[in-house]
Structures are given as structure tokens and as C-alpha cells.
Amino acid sequence: MNYNKKSVEDIAVAGKRVLCRCDFNVPTKAGVITSDKRIVAAMPTIEYLVKNGARVILCSHMGKPEPNFEKWVKKQTEKGKAPEELTKENWEKAMAKLTLAPVAKRLSELLGKEVKMASDVVGESAKELAASLQDGDVMLLENTRFEKGETKNDPELSRKLASMADIFVNDAFGTAHRAHATTAGVADYLPAVCGYLVEKEVSIMGKALADPERPFVAILGGAKVSDKLNVINNLLEKVDTLVIGGGMAYTFLAAKGYGIGQSLFDAEKVDYCKEMMAKAEAKGVKLLLPVDTVITDHFPDPIDGEIECCTVDADKIPADKMGMDIGEKTRELYYEAVKAAKTVVWNGPMGVFENPTLAKGTIAVAQALADSSATTIVGGGDSAAACEQLGFADKITHISTGGGASLEFLEGLELPGIACLQDK
């Protein structure tokens, strides 16, 4: 896949109506935004368009609204909601909670000018506002998922959206792995380029995978091997060292014949793990697995105070215990692997990170990346949250804004929201 895509700077935007897909899927509480990080991340592209005289039409989804009342009733019934709660009024209230109105308010504050808000996506309100825009004006469409054609990538919806604009800019990396009407469909009808956020994601991650400075170390964590099957396979073609932690490590350890007690285990993936270890050996890739592990006798709820640690091969994990985090020797081993690297990619925690007692492994990896002089890339999700919570974000070369998208990127898959953009 070609990641050398045209950006907003490669197309004339003055006087043009520009439909810009952002990721404004922000957390809210009682209609108040609790973190505006994603809005702030989109500002460089929006400010560039405003400064260069574009007529800006912003769009985004928020949450998972169900625009069909009957389907909403069915979903709520499956969740065990009482029939008397499943009224049209309650459905409308649930939908109203996912309005982008608070985003329009925050955007107006950040831009220092009014961002007009449409009450629909492709209806009269949206069309009238889009038609009335002057150079440098900004408007926001209502939640794109209020249209049932959005997630189905419906050509009719894409056409209606495209009819309001002259150019499409995708600046939502977090949804680039989805082929929806506002992430890919509109590019069939408009010249399509990327915004600064998407440009940064694809150039940094694209280079790391296509032409990394070596040694190239990848660290994979998280719960299940099945979530990272293709990532492991793809990275073994590219890296010098692959470091495995998190719950998925125990299936690898079981594949080596070690006792893993009650630890997380994916019986169907043992042969796959054996294949991957053989592949690493054949390719001369170092595959690092935990040498010791923190063990407990129950899943953390809560765990505080003293916890045990055992070496993986010798003591074996006792039959009634489960591995919950990498141990001290493993933390040192992984730290040294990062220290020797010139490029590091990390995706997934090393243990049950949400419990402070079981977060030492994840903290050690985050610290190793923060201390490293290598190009360091963190692939969204829990790993990104760990770096931000620990105050290491400014010491990492790049923290991805998209968990699912960055994973598919690491798999070597084509991302629909990027493939649809014009090549340079």
C-alpha cells in the first residue's frame, strides 16, 4: 500500500467547501466534555483550512447511536432492559445524549470564532448552512452515525455528503480502518487528501515498518493471542527482536511446555505459537518471553499489598495460581532490549495495568521507551493511556490516536480511510 498521500497542503482550498472528517468521539458526562484531547489534535488541520480561506464543513461520529427505533428496542431487550423502559421518548433521549453540540461549543472556544452547528447530517439544516458559508467559516454536521447509511458505507449517503462540498479531507486516523461513508465513501465523489494528523500517523508508522533504523524492536502485550495473530506474523518479517508480554505470553509459554497454572490460555492457538517461535528462529529474530511472572490466586478485585513472583521455567507457576504481570527479571530483560534499539513499536500492556499493584511491567516498558533515544512509537489504546498517565507522552516520538487502526497498520493491512486518498 502506498502511504505517500496528498495532504491539505497539496490542494488549493481557498474559496472551496471542504468536508473534513475528524475524530470528535470524545467522552462526555451530562453533556460536558471530560477530555478534549481529540478535538485539540484536529486543530492544526482546521486552523490551516481557516487561515487559507476554505469554507469548512466538519464531521464526526460519536458513540454508537442506533438510528432505527425497532433495532434499538431489540438491542435494549437483549441487554435485559424492562419493556416499559423501551419507549420512543427514551430512545430519543439516548440519541440526544450523543449530539455533537458540546463539540461545536468547544471548537468555537478553541478557534475563537463561532462554529455553526447543523441539526442533521445531510438534511435541510446541513445544506442551508453549507451553502451560506463564507471563506474562513466553519460549521459542524450532527453525529454522522445518526444516519443509518454511515456505517454501511451507503453510496447514496456518500453522494449527498459530497454534494455539499468540493474537497474531502480525512483527518480521523482512529476510524481509518473502517470503510464508512464519511471515512471512505465520499472519496468516490470528491478529490480526497489527508489532514496533518493522518499524515503524521502514516508517515511515522509507515517509515517504521517499511524502512526502520535497526535494531528494530516490537513489543506486544494484551490479553489474547487471537487479537494479535496477524500482527505477530507480519512483524516477524520486519523486526530484529519481538518482545511478548501480557496475557498472550502464557499461551507461548505453554507452547514451550511450561506449566502456567490458571493463567490466561488460548488452547486453540498453541500450535500457532509453536509456528511463530519456529519462524522467529528460522529468520534469526530474537523472540523474548517472560522469564518470571507475578502470580496471584484470584483475578484482581482488589489486589493490594504483597504479591508473589516466580520464575517461569523452574518453579513453574503453581497449579492454583495465575500470572498477572511480568516479573522483575523480565522487566530488566525488556528494558535492555529497548535500550539497544534504534526503532521501537509498542502495542498492549504487560499485565493487568488497571490495577496499580499489577502495573509494574507496563510502567517499566513505558519508562524504557521514555528513556530511549530511539524512534519510539506507541500504538494507541492501553499503551497510549499508560504513557499519558505516567507523564511520558512528551518523551515518546509518536503516540498513535487510533488503537484499532494502528493494530491493522501493524498487521500490514490496507486501511480504507487511507487507501481512498490521492497518491502524491
Side-chain angles (χ1 to χ4, degrees), residues 89-357:
E89 192 188 351
N90 282 347
W91 167 63
E92 281 163 6
K93 275 184 191 163
M95 292 282 280
K97 278 182 186 165
L98 295 173
T99 177
L100 286 182
V103 174
K105 184 170 176 276
R106 186 67 188 123
L107 279 165
S108 300
E109 290 163 2
L110 290 167
L111 273 171
K113 63 187 287 177
E114 190 198 353
V115 172
K116 300 179 180 89
M117 170 88 190
S119 59
D120 50 32
V121 182
V122 286
E124 285 313 307
S125 169
K127 283 183 201 159
E128 279 170 25
L129 265 183
S132 72
L133 291 177
Q134 300 299 309
D135 296 1
D137 282 355
V138 184
M139 65 174 279
L140 176 64
L141 300 176
E142 186 50 283
N143 187 341
T144 58
R145 288 192 187 167
F146 284 175
E147 290 286 337
K148 51 181 181 286
E150 160 72 324
T151 55
K152 295 187 176 83
N153 195 8
D154 174 34
E156 189 52 38
L157 177 60
S158 299
R159 261 198 297 273
K160 283 178 183 171
L161 283 157
S163 72
M164 294 191 288
D166 307 302
I167 294 166
F168 172 58
V169 173
N170 189 1
D171 208 29
F173 183 74
T175 56
H177 59 309
R178 300 194 178 108
H180 290 173
T182 61
T183 61
V186 286
D188 290 341
Y189 307 98
L190 291 174
V193 299
C194 63
Y196 291 126
L197 196 64
V198 166
E199 184 181 40
K200 187 183 177 198
E201 292 272 8
V202 296
S203 62
I204 293 176
M205 288 212 282
K207 185 186 182 311
L209 292 179
D211 183 24
E213 259 197 277
R214 296 186 179 277
F216 179 15
V217 176
I219 306 162
L220 291 179
K224 302 200 283 287
V225 178
S226 51
D227 291 344
K228 307 259 162 85
L229 288 178
N230 301 328
V231 180
I232 296 166
N233 198 15
N234 189 42
L235 287 176
L236 282 175
E237 301 285 342
K238 301 175 188 297
V239 299
D240 301 294
T241 303
L242 182 61
V243 175
I244 304 271
M248 62 193 263
Y250 300 102
T251 304
F252 275 91
L253 294 169
K256 285 188 82 152
Y258 296 160
I260 58 164
Q262 298 296 311
S263 307
L264 209 59
F265 174 58
D266 198 340
E268 288 173 15
K269 298 295 177 272
V270 172
D271 288 342
Y272 172 84
C273 291
K274 285 179 182 168
E275 274 170 45
M276 291 302 107
M277 290 189 285
K279 179 173 176 171
E281 198 173 341
K283 289 197 161 289
V285 173
K286 256 193 219 161
L287 182 71
L288 298 182
L289 292 167
V291 292
D292 60 348
T293 182
V294 170
I295 52 172
T296 68
D297 56 5
H298 65 286
F299 199 75
D301 191 29
I303 288 173
D304 25 56
E306 286 301 302
I307 45 173
E308 290 177 76
C309 189
C310 73
T311 52
V312 168
D313 53 348
D315 305 353
K316 302 232 181 3
I317 299 169
D320 61 340
K321 304 271 185 187
M322 55 179 86
M324 286 287 166
D325 191 16
I326 56 173
E328 192 177 346
K329 287 196 181 81
T330 307
R331 297 201 292 270
E332 285 166 17
L333 178 72
Y334 291 4
Y335 191 97
E336 289 304 315
V338 170
K339 198 173 160 186
K342 286 275 195 291
T343 305
V344 187
V345 172
W346 174 33
N347 187 294
M350 297 292 104
V352 186
F353 170 67
E354 49 280 22
N355 184 302
T357 312

Side-chain angles (χ1 to χ4, degrees), residues 379-393:
D382 293 335
S383 325
C387 292
E388 275 150 15
Q389 278 170 34
L390 297 163
F392 294 154

Side-chain angles (χ1 to χ4, degrees), residues 75-87:
K75 282 180 184 171
Q76 298 304 310
T77 306
E78 283 163 5
K79 286 181 187 170
K81 286 272 163 76
E84 59 271 17
E85 290 178 54
L86 305 180
T87 61

Side-chain angles (χ1 to χ4, degrees), residues 365-385:
V365 167
Q367 184 74 59
L369 267 74
D371 294 348
S372 170
S373 58
T375 297
T376 50
I377 297 168
V378 177
D382 293 335
S383 325

